Amino acid sequence: MASMAVQLLGFFLGLLGLVGSVVATVLPHWWQTAYVDSNIITATAYIKGLWMECVWHSTGIYQCEVHRSMLALPPDLQAARALMLLSCLTSTLAALVSSAGMKCTRYARGSSIKHVLAISGGVCFLSAGMLCLITVCWTTNDVILDFYNPILPEGMKYEIGMAVYLGYVSACLNLMGGVVLCWNCEGRPRNPLHLPHHRHPCPPLVFNTINTPNTPAPPYYPPAALKGNYAPSCTSLSSNGYRLNDYV
């Protein structure tokens, strides 16, 4: 029961990480306008994401435009797109595989492959968390380098957006879910081949009664009593009526 509860905990942590990764990928709040120096009070704010760019007006109106050309995007933005998509797909695969490998499901119940599926789902959650973490760390590094670049104008500097922080949280949830699923190894079957254990049969009754002290030993016949107890052959001297003892 404790092992099943641990598996459920790891699965739901990974599932929350999956939802967070999808939301962070869709949201445009990856880069937002930095309010420094003369830009402290402004009527508009620019927000950039992986798929669109938005302009926020002080009246509360959002105007967004989707990136029309993928090849015209910067290489770092293309890489961030690919990594986040891989993270979401890997998390989805991890959720499907781990749900089939948990003890609370009926799939492959009583088979050794169930434990392998749970471990595989944990590894997929770990991979998805690492992909998401690499993406948000890379984006954070670019934003910080541009922010402290003295050559870059103040109007072109951005700050870390809300979607990046959500990506950090999602990556941590995926990593924790994967660690919990992989750590839960005590549910592994001890006899993976499911071979029946047979007890060794008892030896026959004859061998059990020979060594007992109350059983009498078999009679002993000395060799002299057995002397001459054989049929004479046709070629021997005794077959003609002669004995070798009469002449020696």
Side-chain angles (χ1 to χ4, degrees), residues 35 41-45 55-62:
Y35 300 99
I41 301 176
T42 180
T44 57
V55 178
W56 176 81
H57 299 277
S58 59
T59 56
I61 300 176
Y62 273 93

Side-chain angles (χ1 to χ4, degrees), residues 17-176:
L18 168 61
V19 175
S21 298
V22 172
V23 174
T25 304
V26 175
L27 283 179
H29 299 78
W30 283 70
W31 297 270
Q32 61 184 12
T33 306
Y35 300 99
V36 293
D37 296 339
S38 59
N39 294 331
I40 297 178
I41 301 176
T42 180
T44 57
Y46 296 93
I47 302 171
K48 294 173 59 178
L50 300 179
W51 309 97
M52 64 186 69
E53 294 184 3
C54 298
V55 178
W56 176 81
H57 299 277
S58 59
T59 56
I61 300 176
Y62 273 93
Q63 292 181 347
C64 297
E65 182 179 0
V66 181
H67 299 301
R68 298 183 181 275
S69 176
M70 185 181 66
L71 298 178
L73 296 175
D76 56 346
L77 187 57
Q78 295 181 14
R81 274 185 173 186
L83 290 176
M84 288 304 296
L85 286 177
L86 285 176
S87 176
C88 295
L89 292 177
T90 310
S91 296
T92 305
L93 179 63
L96 295 176
V97 174
S98 60
S99 62
M102 289 191 301
K103 293 182 178 181
C104 58
T105 58
R106 295 182 177 271
Y107 179 78
R109 178 170 293 180
S111 176
S112 59
I113 196 176
K114 201 169 184 65
H115 176 75
V116 177
L117 290 174
I119 296 297
S120 301
V123 173
C124 290
F125 274 130
L126 289 174
S127 302
M130 289 301 300
L131 290 172
C132 184
L133 187 62
I134 290 173
T135 307
V136 293
C137 288
W138 190 355
T139 304
T140 303
N141 181 63
D142 291 343
V143 171
I144 293 175
L145 289 179
D146 292 340
F147 186 84
Y148 290 105
N149 188 3
I151 303 177
L152 199 65
E154 301 294 339
M156 298 182 62
K157 293 183 178 181
Y158 290 90
E159 291 183 353
I160 302 173
M162 178 182 60
V164 178
Y165 296 110
L166 182 58
Y168 277 112
V169 176
S170 303
C172 293
L173 289 174
N174 279 326
L175 292 175
M176 287 190 296

Side-chain angles (χ1 to χ4, degrees), residues 231-237 239-240:
S233 62
C234 296
T235 57
S236 62
L237 295 176
S239 63
N240 298 328

